[in-house]
Amino acid sequence: MKARRLGSSLLVAGVAIFAASVAVRAETVNEVSVQNGARAVPATVVVPDGEGPFPAVVMNHGHGGGRQENGGFGRIAKALADKGILTIRMDFAGSGDSKEPFTEGYLSNMISDSNASLGYILENYAVDEDRLGIFGYSMGGRIALTVGAGSDNPYKAIGLLAPSADWGQEMMVGFLGGQAEYDRLYAESGGDKGYAEFTTQWGQVQQLSRQWFDDMIASKPLELAGSFKGPMIVVHGDKDVVVPAAVNEAVIAAYPEASLVVVPEADHGYGFYSDQPDVTTLVDTTFADFFAESLK
């Protein structure tokens, strides 16, 4: 299938544009385990009702989140199933139902688990390998961009929700609380424990391995974005300060064919962790419409 390109950047100021009615379909939800080397990766496969082979989207969660994202990923998967699109979403090491330590949740392992999850659905479900999309939220956006720019990229479309797309070292300095705190934690990660203990602004205690730091230092997805060939969409909230507007706009600058959608009143939780039905509706329908059009 020849990938279709989207037009220039698009600013959306409300939900009404995406309020077109769609037929609601049934779907089957399967909880599975994807074996990736020594790691058993918990995953959820949502299969639309009907006959395959189906287009499929691999969904990648944010740093320290999980494949549920407090129900938000389930709603997006439901919206995609209503469009006839199969999805798989997985828990990276140390997140959600994963039995692995958080120290194993570094970028190269996450990319490997995402790729293994794609392999799982291709092997076990009626999936059209010519109609594949990848979705990433926050750190998952870094994964999606990195995989999508690879020379062996299998994906025809990329959907990004507030992607962590800037140079990994710059991202870490901001996320960890400034240069001095970054320097302290980086040094700590090289100690006898092999990790630095970090408490996020949301109160989550994380063990960040030296490999996590080194993978992030090497990560420059914006330099790779131009290698992707196909439709891409970037969605972000006008109240998001974790991944600021400038980062999302930098993705558009690196890949001008992408479309940009701004979600009013959305912070970095995107309705996953708040009761904002307008935000939830816009996020869900935007990605469902994008992948339905891009993978048809």
Side-chain angles (χ1 to χ4, degrees), residues 212-231:
W212 183 83
F213 283 91
D214 289 345
D215 276 7
M216 291 296 290
I217 291 169
S219 175
K220 299 180 179 181
L222 290 178
E223 294 183 3
L224 306 174
S227 299
F228 177 69
K229 304 300 178 186

mmCIF file of all heavy atoms in Angstrom, residues 212-231:
data_model
loop_
_atom_site.group_PDB
_atom_site.id
_atom_site.type_symbol
_atom_site.label_atom_id
_atom_site.label_comp_id
_atom_site.label_asym_id
_atom_site.label_seq_id
_atom_site.Cartn_x
_atom_site.Cartn_y
_atom_site.Cartn_z
ATOM 1 N N TRP A 212 19.594 3.774 31.332
ATOM 2 C CA TRP A 212 18.508 4.711 31.014
ATOM 3 C C TRP A 212 19.097 6.064 30.626
ATOM 4 O O TRP A 212 18.702 6.656 29.606
ATOM 5 C CB TRP A 212 17.569 4.861 32.208
ATOM 6 C CG TRP A 212 16.383 5.739 31.946
ATOM 7 C CD1 TRP A 212 15.218 5.382 31.338
ATOM 8 C CD2 TRP A 212 16.265 7.140 32.262
ATOM 9 N NE1 TRP A 212 14.363 6.483 31.263
ATOM 10 C CE2 TRP A 212 14.986 7.562 31.826
ATOM 11 C CE3 TRP A 212 17.108 8.067 32.876
ATOM 12 C CZ2 TRP A 212 14.532 8.869 31.980
ATOM 13 C CZ3 TRP A 212 16.662 9.384 33.033
ATOM 14 C CH2 TRP A 212 15.379 9.775 32.587
ATOM 15 N N PHE A 213 20.046 6.556 31.420
ATOM 16 C CA PHE A 213 20.673 7.839 31.106
ATOM 17 C C PHE A 213 21.414 7.775 29.776
ATOM 18 O O PHE A 213 21.265 8.668 28.922
ATOM 19 C CB PHE A 213 21.646 8.228 32.228
ATOM 20 C CG PHE A 213 20.986 8.767 33.466
ATOM 21 C CD1 PHE A 213 20.626 7.919 34.495
ATOM 22 C CD2 PHE A 213 20.736 10.125 33.609
ATOM 23 C CE1 PHE A 213 20.022 8.412 35.647
ATOM 24 C CE2 PHE A 213 20.140 10.633 34.756
ATOM 25 C CZ PHE A 213 19.778 9.776 35.777
ATOM 26 N N ASP A 214 22.217 6.730 29.583
ATOM 27 C CA ASP A 214 23.036 6.667 28.371
ATOM 28 C C ASP A 214 22.188 6.521 27.112
ATOM 29 O O ASP A 214 22.503 7.119 26.067
ATOM 30 C CB ASP A 214 24.030 5.512 28.486
ATOM 31 C CG ASP A 214 25.123 5.782 29.508
ATOM 32 O OD1 ASP A 214 25.278 6.951 29.919
ATOM 33 O OD2 ASP A 214 25.823 4.822 29.899
ATOM 34 N N ASP A 215 21.105 5.744 27.195
ATOM 35 C CA ASP A 215 20.198 5.633 26.051
ATOM 36 C C ASP A 215 19.577 6.985 25.706
ATOM 37 O O ASP A 215 19.430 7.338 24.525
ATOM 38 C CB ASP A 215 19.084 4.624 26.336
ATOM 39 C CG ASP A 215 19.481 3.191 26.051
ATOM 40 O OD1 ASP A 215 20.667 2.937 25.761
ATOM 41 O OD2 ASP A 215 18.598 2.308 26.130
ATOM 42 N N MET A 216 19.198 7.730 26.740
ATOM 43 C CA MET A 216 18.579 9.032 26.502
ATOM 44 C C MET A 216 19.581 10.031 25.921
ATOM 45 O O MET A 216 19.243 10.830 25.041
ATOM 46 C CB MET A 216 17.965 9.562 27.791
ATOM 47 C CG MET A 216 16.739 8.783 28.252
ATOM 48 S SD MET A 216 15.362 8.914 27.090
ATOM 49 C CE MET A 216 14.905 10.631 27.338
ATOM 50 N N ILE A 217 20.812 9.994 26.392
ATOM 51 C CA ILE A 217 21.836 10.891 25.854
ATOM 52 C C ILE A 217 22.026 10.641 24.353
ATOM 53 O O ILE A 217 22.212 11.569 23.565
ATOM 54 C CB ILE A 217 23.161 10.707 26.613
ATOM 55 C CG1 ILE A 217 23.018 11.232 28.051
ATOM 56 C CG2 ILE A 217 24.307 11.422 25.899
ATOM 57 C CD1 ILE A 217 24.174 10.863 28.959
ATOM 58 N N ALA A 218 21.937 9.389 23.971
ATOM 59 C CA ALA A 218 22.130 9.032 22.553
ATOM 60 C C ALA A 218 20.886 9.276 21.697
ATOM 61 O O ALA A 218 20.967 9.202 20.467
ATOM 62 C CB ALA A 218 22.541 7.567 22.448
ATOM 63 N N SER A 219 19.768 9.581 22.329
ATOM 64 C CA SER A 219 18.493 9.675 21.614
ATOM 65 C C SER A 219 18.254 11.073 21.059
ATOM 66 O O SER A 219 18.098 12.040 21.821
ATOM 67 C CB SER A 219 17.345 9.288 22.553
ATOM 68 O OG SER A 219 16.089 9.484 21.933
ATOM 69 N N LYS A 220 18.200 11.182 19.719
ATOM 70 C CA LYS A 220 17.940 12.451 19.042
ATOM 71 C C LYS A 220 16.919 12.223 17.930
ATOM 72 O O LYS A 220 17.237 12.302 16.731
ATOM 73 C CB LYS A 220 19.238 13.037 18.484
ATOM 74 C CG LYS A 220 20.278 13.347 19.554
ATOM 75 C CD LYS A 220 21.548 13.927 18.950
ATOM 76 C CE LYS A 220 22.569 14.260 20.025
ATOM 77 N NZ LYS A 220 23.804 14.842 19.449
ATOM 78 N N PRO A 221 15.667 11.944 18.304
ATOM 79 C CA PRO A 221 14.671 11.557 17.293
ATOM 80 C C PRO A 221 14.380 12.621 16.253
ATOM 81 O O PRO A 221 14.018 12.294 15.119
ATOM 82 C CB PRO A 221 13.427 11.219 18.123
ATOM 83 C CG PRO A 221 13.638 11.881 19.442
ATOM 84 C CD PRO A 221 15.113 11.894 19.665
ATOM 85 N N LEU A 222 14.546 13.899 16.594
ATOM 86 C CA LEU A 222 14.258 14.942 15.620
ATOM 87 C C LEU A 222 15.234 14.892 14.447
ATOM 88 O O LEU A 222 14.885 15.276 13.326
ATOM 89 C CB LEU A 222 14.299 16.318 16.278
ATOM 90 C CG LEU A 222 13.166 16.623 17.259
ATOM 91 C CD1 LEU A 222 13.365 17.999 17.870
ATOM 92 C CD2 LEU A 222 11.808 16.522 16.580
ATOM 93 N N GLU A 223 16.435 14.413 14.695
ATOM 94 C CA GLU A 223 17.403 14.289 13.611
ATOM 95 C C GLU A 223 17.047 13.144 12.669
ATOM 96 O O GLU A 223 17.555 13.085 11.542
ATOM 97 C CB GLU A 223 18.808 14.081 14.187
ATOM 98 C CG GLU A 223 19.329 15.287 14.970
ATOM 99 C CD GLU A 223 20.750 15.082 15.459
ATOM 100 O OE1 GLU A 223 21.349 14.027 15.137
ATOM 101 O OE2 GLU A 223 21.261 15.973 16.158
ATOM 102 N N LEU A 224 16.185 12.235 13.141
ATOM 103 C CA LEU A 224 15.822 11.065 12.359
ATOM 104 C C LEU A 224 14.480 11.214 11.639
ATOM 105 O O LEU A 224 14.191 10.455 10.709
ATOM 106 C CB LEU A 224 15.736 9.839 13.276
ATOM 107 C CG LEU A 224 16.959 9.520 14.144
ATOM 108 C CD1 LEU A 224 16.632 8.378 15.095
ATOM 109 C CD2 LEU A 224 18.161 9.190 13.283
ATOM 110 N N ALA A 225 13.663 12.178 12.094
ATOM 111 C CA ALA A 225 12.264 12.228 11.661
ATOM 112 C C ALA A 225 12.110 12.289 10.152
ATOM 113 O O ALA A 225 11.180 11.711 9.589
ATOM 114 C CB ALA A 225 11.561 13.424 12.308
ATOM 115 N N GLY A 226 13.026 12.975 9.478
ATOM 116 C CA GLY A 226 12.909 13.130 8.035
ATOM 117 C C GLY A 226 13.046 11.833 7.262
ATOM 118 O O GLY A 226 12.699 11.774 6.074
ATOM 119 N N SER A 227 13.535 10.775 7.924
ATOM 120 C CA SER A 227 13.687 9.487 7.250
ATOM 121 C C SER A 227 12.371 8.750 7.092
ATOM 122 O O SER A 227 12.264 7.828 6.277
ATOM 123 C CB SER A 227 14.673 8.602 8.021
ATOM 124 O OG SER A 227 15.951 9.203 8.073
ATOM 125 N N PHE A 228 11.363 9.156 7.877
ATOM 126 C CA PHE A 228 10.056 8.503 7.767
ATOM 127 C C PHE A 228 9.347 8.979 6.502
ATOM 128 O O PHE A 228 9.448 10.140 6.123
ATOM 129 C CB PHE A 228 9.209 8.816 9.002
ATOM 130 C CG PHE A 228 7.828 8.237 8.951
ATOM 131 C CD1 PHE A 228 7.634 6.874 9.032
ATOM 132 C CD2 PHE A 228 6.717 9.062 8.824
ATOM 133 C CE1 PHE A 228 6.361 6.329 8.970
ATOM 134 C CE2 PHE A 228 5.440 8.535 8.777
ATOM 135 C CZ PHE A 228 5.259 7.164 8.852
ATOM 136 N N LYS A 229 8.612 8.074 5.886
ATOM 137 C CA LYS A 229 7.842 8.419 4.692
ATOM 138 C C LYS A 229 6.402 7.971 4.905
ATOM 139 O O LYS A 229 6.106 6.781 4.856
ATOM 140 C CB LYS A 229 8.425 7.732 3.446
ATOM 141 C CG LYS A 229 9.896 8.021 3.201
ATOM 142 C CD LYS A 229 10.169 9.505 3.006
ATOM 143 C CE LYS A 229 11.666 9.761 2.801
ATOM 144 N NZ LYS A 229 11.976 11.209 2.745
ATOM 145 N N GLY A 230 5.528 8.908 5.162
ATOM 146 C CA GLY A 230 4.135 8.555 5.407
ATOM 147 C C GLY A 230 3.445 9.610 6.244
ATOM 148 O O GLY A 230 4.050 10.590 6.680
ATOM 149 N N PRO A 231 2.144 9.440 6.509
ATOM 150 C CA PRO A 231 1.394 10.414 7.302
ATOM 151 C C PRO A 231 1.782 10.368 8.774
ATOM 152 O O PRO A 231 2.061 9.299 9.334
ATOM 153 C CB PRO A 231 -0.062 10.000 7.089
ATOM 154 C CG PRO A 231 -0.015 8.585 6.660
ATOM 155 C CD PRO A 231 1.272 8.394 5.939
#
